[in-house]
Amino acid sequence: MKKRLLAMLLAGAMCASLAACGGNTTGGGTEEPNGESGSEGYSIDVILKTTASEYWGYVKAGAEAYMADNPDVKVEVKGASSETAYDEQQNMIETDLNSGAYDAFVIAPLQADLVTTLISGQTAPIIAVDTDIDAPEVKSFVGTGNEDAAAMGGEAAVKAAQEAGWTELKAIAISGVQGDSTATARLTGYQKGIEAAGGTFLADETQYADAVADKAATSMEAIMQNHPEGIAMIVCNNDDMAMAAARAAKGNEAYANTVFVGFDGIQSACTAILNGEETMSVAQEAYDMGYMAVDAAVKALNGEEIKEFIDSGCSVVTKDNAQERLDTLKSYLGE
């Protein structure tokens, strides 16, 4: 419980003034977990997009923390080998849905439309986490209000670009998987925030890098070739891509003061921000996301009413608060 209390205190402190992070999906409001739903030896299956990244490690840790707090609930966490291993995740979902071994499911879909078909007709409670699934079988979506959170990051990026001396406040996005609902929401949010703050979002020049670092570096090289004069802001779908883009631009004088914005607020991003290798990150509370999703599944099994959207919170990480967040993230993983 010590880690859980620390997570709740940090989320409350960092998001108290950021109510705009609330959902851009159906339903509304934030539901805090209490870990006290009366369970009956339930078995909860958690299928994530992948387990091969730091961000998803926090979601996994949060889900498993619920099991530690509630020993009568068994939580099994798994995920695909990467965020483009679509067939692998599809097989996991199909196998587990048909196994009869689980009372409820928590799913972070790689392809939400496909998962909608896979879960059709299921009677066991299903909770979507991180990325929503548009299906009547889904009892609740637990995650970040991605559009509003990215808008907040876009506004912060414009302010940082102005402080860095940019007069042409242009921004280009390096996004994740084209067509993915989460990536689309973040793109929309970045554009909204940047334009609201007086910047220019070059939507036609969006680069898609499948949420991986090496492709983001290639995208950044293309941006530099197309804009030898420099670009004020590069806004990315996750931190790995933002750090890779910043590394690719290192040594290019035209990009010396470019603002690089990531999304997730993971440990490596906090370190990069402290070292001046990434400017800022829109942080998701991934640990809370995992915990809340399992809590929602248990409540659904108990017949309790749960909200259609449960906001797990967000914040903007800068040099001013990166060390505090880094210390907290380490505590989640027992470091």
Side-chain angles (χ1 to χ4, degrees):
M1 284 299 292
K2 183 177 179 182
K3 293 179 185 175
R4 180 67 203 142
L5 289 172
L6 180 59
M8 291 178 69
L9 287 171
L10 179 70
M14 296 182 79
C15 293
S17 62
L18 300 176
C21 293
N24 57 323
T25 58
T26 58
T30 300
E31 180 168 305
E32 292 295 334
N34 56 32
E36 297 176 354
S37 296
S39 54
E40 304 270 343
Y42 296 137
S43 181
I44 312 297
D45 188 32
V46 179
I47 303 175
L48 304 179
K49 292 186 179 182
T50 182
T51 53
S53 75
E54 183 185 326
Y55 169 79
W56 290 104
Y58 297 128
V59 181
K60 180 176 183 288
E64 292 175 343
Y66 186 95
M67 179 170 57
D69 291 346
N70 300 270
D72 52 347
V73 177
K74 179 183 177 183
V75 178
E76 184 177 330
V77 185
K78 64 196 71 171
S81 56
S82 75
E83 291 198 34
T84 54
Y86 308 119
D87 291 344
E88 185 180 350
Q89 192 194 52
Q90 178 183 346
N91 289 336
M92 284 182 182
I93 295 170
E94 286 181 314
T95 298
D96 289 3
L97 287 174
N98 294 322
S99 69
Y102 305 101
D103 298 298
F105 300 87
V106 172
I107 303 175
L110 285 173
Q111 294 175 302
D113 290 345
L114 173 63
V115 175
T116 296
T117 301
L118 295 178
I119 64 176
S120 179
Q122 286 293 321
T123 56
I126 296 174
I127 306 297
V129 66
D130 181 79
T131 300
D132 202 1
I133 305 167
D134 185 12
E137 291 80 7
V138 175
K139 302 299 183 183
S140 180
F141 166 49
V142 181
T144 304
N146 283 289
E147 184 175 321
D148 288 340
M152 182 179 63
E155 291 179 7
V158 171
K159 181 179 178 181
Q162 289 171 323
E163 292 173 350
W166 289 92
T167 55
E168 292 193 18
L169 300 171
K170 296 178 181 179
I172 294 177
I174 302 179
S175 190
V177 177
Q178 189 168 10
D180 174 74
S181 60
T182 297
T184 300
R186 291 177 187 175
L187 270 177
T188 302
Y190 276 137
Q191 181 169 2
K192 181 188 298 183
I194 288 164
E195 292 179 348
T200 301
F201 185 82
L202 304 179
D204 291 342
E205 297 190 42
T206 297
Q207 299 276 330
Y208 290 94
D210 293 338
V212 295
D214 56 346
K215 292 184 179 181
T218 301
S219 293
M220 189 65 218
E221 289 169 359
I223 291 170
M224 290 188 291
Q225 184 175 359
N226 293 334
H227 293 276
E229 76 285 1
I231 288 291
M233 294 162 281
I234 302 295
V235 294
C236 300
N237 195 66
N238 65 29
D239 284 320
D240 289 338
M241 293 196 296
M243 289 183 285
R247 286 193 298 270
K250 188 175 181 179
N252 186 328
E253 282 299 314
Y255 287 81
N257 294 321
T258 294
V259 174
F260 289 92
V261 184
F263 205 111
D264 287 338
I266 59 178
Q267 280 192 50
S268 52
C270 293
T271 300
I273 289 168
L274 291 169
N275 292 338
E277 297 164 352
E278 183 179 350
T279 313
M280 63 182 63
S281 176
V282 180
Q284 300 193 82
E285 303 304 334
Y287 180 95
D288 285 357
M289 199 182 292
Y291 196 105
M292 290 176 172
V294 177
D295 183 63
V298 172
K299 287 179 177 177
L301 285 167
N302 288 334
E304 297 179 43
E305 184 177 351
I306 56 176
K307 295 175 181 176
E308 292 181 18
F309 172 57
I310 300 173
D311 188 354
S312 52
C314 64
S315 60
V316 173
V317 182
T318 66
K319 275 193 174 182
D320 293 336
N321 58 11
Q323 186 61 57
E324 179 184 3
R325 181 170 179 84
L326 179 60
D327 294 342
T328 301
L329 292 177
K330 287 182 177 180
S331 77
Y332 292 157
L333 303 180
E335 297 179 14

